[in-house]
Amino acid sequence: MRLPRHRDPACPFSPPAELRGLPAMSRLEFADGHLGWLATTMAAAKVVLGDPRFSARQELKHVPVRSARPGGPAAPAPPGFFATMDPPGHTRYRRLLTGRFTVRRMRELEPRVERIAAEHLDAMAAAGPPADLVSAYALPIPSLVICELLGVPYDDRGFFQDRTARIVLPDRDTAGAIADLSAYLGELVRRRRAEPGDDLISDLTGDLTDEELANVAMILLVAGHETTANMLALGTFALLERGVAYEEGAVEELLRWLSVLQLGAPSRAALEDVEVAGALVRKGETVAMSLSVVNRDPDEFDDPDALLPGRPEARRHLAFGHGVHQCLGQQLARIELRAGYRALFDRFPGLRLAVSAAEVPLKEGAAVHGVERLPVTWPT
């Protein structure tokens, strides 16, 4: 089996039909011909993501859909690129960053997130309906928040949105986008070292080299706005299309039900032979995930295909991963999503799609599931 790259426009919120009803571990053919595995149950995914016998190192893993570097395997992670490191290297960077992403610190940001949301809703209201919720609201909010955290001038948001989109979309100039971001962030780190500010990069200049800081910043920048922006737009689309009213507590259910990471992410490479859900994963084999299926595991969730904002067990989802690599910025994402949805539906209680659901364009083959545009309207 090969991993499907596209969602059915008639079922934009559901996992690809080919991935439903599979055993916990299925054989999967990767882009380079490697024969690895696909995990599709909560229990199997937790073993692979939580067991130290599986590695996140990029040079050990095969890519399910496309080659990371045509012509050869990926190189080891450069200094600071902790997302594709194992302990103890990963642990060092994680410890430096964890204190800066505590629940308390993220809650202190909530009033600022609310002001950002309100400013963009004011602009939408002033311009009048219809509006594209992606460009007018979903992208600017997390972009502005992460730029402020890192000390990136907000005037550069267009540059970052373009480059990060090129990184997560297949068949784009990924290498060029990474090079552009690396060069920019390297210069930003040098400026912050010379003229420190009230931002995360300035805080870390005493602990990390310029190269480490630039790579840490790149991970946080890409992860910090691409996934949240897609969740804001796709979650709104889901609520409007399904006719489900937003309520406090809906964020966890939307994270579970939509599971925006796709195309086999995250993945791990076996460092030795490991048995997972009755399947023997051999040393060197890569295990990819289908989080959209994992988070609808009927053994974990009652009526898993239903969108139920009050679902008590929703928080058991793996949308933020599991184990030592669980998303560092998950509390920030939760705050941005809660504030973003709440402000939107409070301001425009009559919000509705401005086109039919079938006319909303999905992101084709992207690593992060989402919509290109979301035309909306409201009574005036």
Side-chain angles (χ1 to χ4, degrees):
M1 179 183 70
R2 290 193 173 190
L3 202 64
R5 293 180 58 169
H6 304 287
R7 299 284 184 113
D8 181 355
C11 303
F13 314 115
S14 298
E18 304 96 305
L19 303 182
R20 306 303 297 267
L22 294 175
M25 296 285 287
S26 301
R27 276 299 192 182
L28 183 69
E29 183 180 350
F30 285 62
D32 59 0
H34 172 74
L35 191 60
W37 297 89
L38 181 70
T40 55
T41 67
M42 182 75 71
K46 282 186 172 181
V47 170
V48 175
L49 294 175
D51 192 318
R53 292 175 295 176
F54 287 97
S55 173
R57 288 162 56 191
Q58 61 189 22
E59 74 272 23
L60 300 180
K61 299 190 296 182
H62 297 262
V63 181
V65 171
R66 60 188 170 109
S67 176
R69 285 184 61 206
F81 212 83
F82 64 94
T84 53
M85 291 180 177
D86 293 337
H90 170 268
T91 308
R92 172 181 170 242
Y93 295 110
R94 184 88 182 196
R95 283 176 177 165
L96 285 173
L97 291 164
T98 296
R100 293 159 172 88
F101 285 89
T102 62
V103 174
R104 179 183 61 81
R105 283 201 174 193
M106 294 303 99
R107 284 179 177 164
E108 290 173 355
L109 277 175
E110 193 159 6
R112 178 56 182 148
V113 177
E114 290 171 345
R115 287 195 296 274
I116 292 169
E119 289 166 3
H120 286 83
L121 292 172
D122 288 345
M124 283 175 57
D132 169 26
L133 198 75
V134 172
S135 59
Y137 191 68
L139 269 175
I141 292 174
S143 292
L144 180 52
V145 172
I146 198 66
C147 285
E148 288 191 2
L149 278 174
L150 295 177
V152 173
Y154 188 51
D155 287 346
D156 295 337
R157 65 190 182 278
F159 168 85
F160 284 103
Q161 289 167 2
D162 174 73
R163 298 313 189 273
T164 54
R166 284 160 52 185
I167 289 173
V168 299
L169 283 169
D171 307 321
R172 302 292 177 93
D173 181 17
T174 300
I178 291 173
D180 288 349
L181 277 175
S182 294
Y184 179 91
L185 290 170
E187 178 57 31
L188 180 65
V189 166
R190 288 187 285 275
R191 293 204 308 268
R192 289 292 171 265
R193 195 178 290 281
E195 301 177 8
D198 183 19
D199 56 78
L200 189 145
I201 289 178
S202 298
D203 286 349
L204 292 173
T205 53
D207 299 298
L208 300 174
T209 66
D210 285 6
E211 182 183 14
E212 288 176 313
L213 261 175
N215 287 326
V216 165
M218 180 181 290
I219 292 174
L220 297 177
L221 184 68
V222 174
H225 92 253
E226 186 69 21
T227 49
T228 305
N230 279 280
M231 269 300 304
L232 274 173
L234 193 64
T236 301
F237 180 24
L239 293 169
L240 296 179
E241 193 270 344
R242 293 295 167 118
V244 175
Y246 176 75
E247 60 183 71
E248 291 298 314
V251 166
E252 298 302 327
E253 174 67 345
L254 287 167
L255 286 164
R256 178 199 73 85
W257 198 67
L258 294 171
S259 302
V260 296
L261 282 183
Q262 56 180 8
L263 302 186
S267 63
R268 298 289 186 267
L271 297 174
E272 59 185 83
D273 292 357
V274 186
E275 185 174 318
V276 181
L280 182 61
V281 180
R282 297 288 187 183
K283 178 180 178 180
E285 291 182 336
T286 298
V287 182
M289 304 283 145
S290 177
L291 288 186
S292 60
V293 178
V294 166
N295 283 332
R296 296 194 185 193
D297 187 339
D299 289 337
E300 296 288 333
F301 305 101
D302 294 330
D303 195 9
D305 290 325
L307 176 60
L308 305 173
R311 183 187 295 273
E313 75 273 24
R315 204 178 179 98
R316 296 209 299 262
H317 65 74
L318 298 189
F320 291 118
H322 178 71
V324 296
H325 281 277
Q326 193 173 40
C327 178
L328 180 70
Q330 61 182 287
Q331 300 307 330
L332 174 59
R334 286 184 167 105
I335 285 170
E336 289 175 325
L337 292 171
R338 283 199 302 265
Y341 289 133
R342 181 174 60 241
L344 175 65
F345 288 104
D346 283 351
R347 183 64 175 272
F348 300 121
L351 191 73
R352 65 182 187 274
L353 296 176
V355 298
S356 70
E359 294 176 278
V360 176
L362 302 180
K363 287 190 172 181
E364 284 295 314
V368 180
H369 184 40
V371 293
E372 294 282 359
R373 299 178 301 282
L374 186 65
V376 295
T377 189
W378 57 89
T380 57

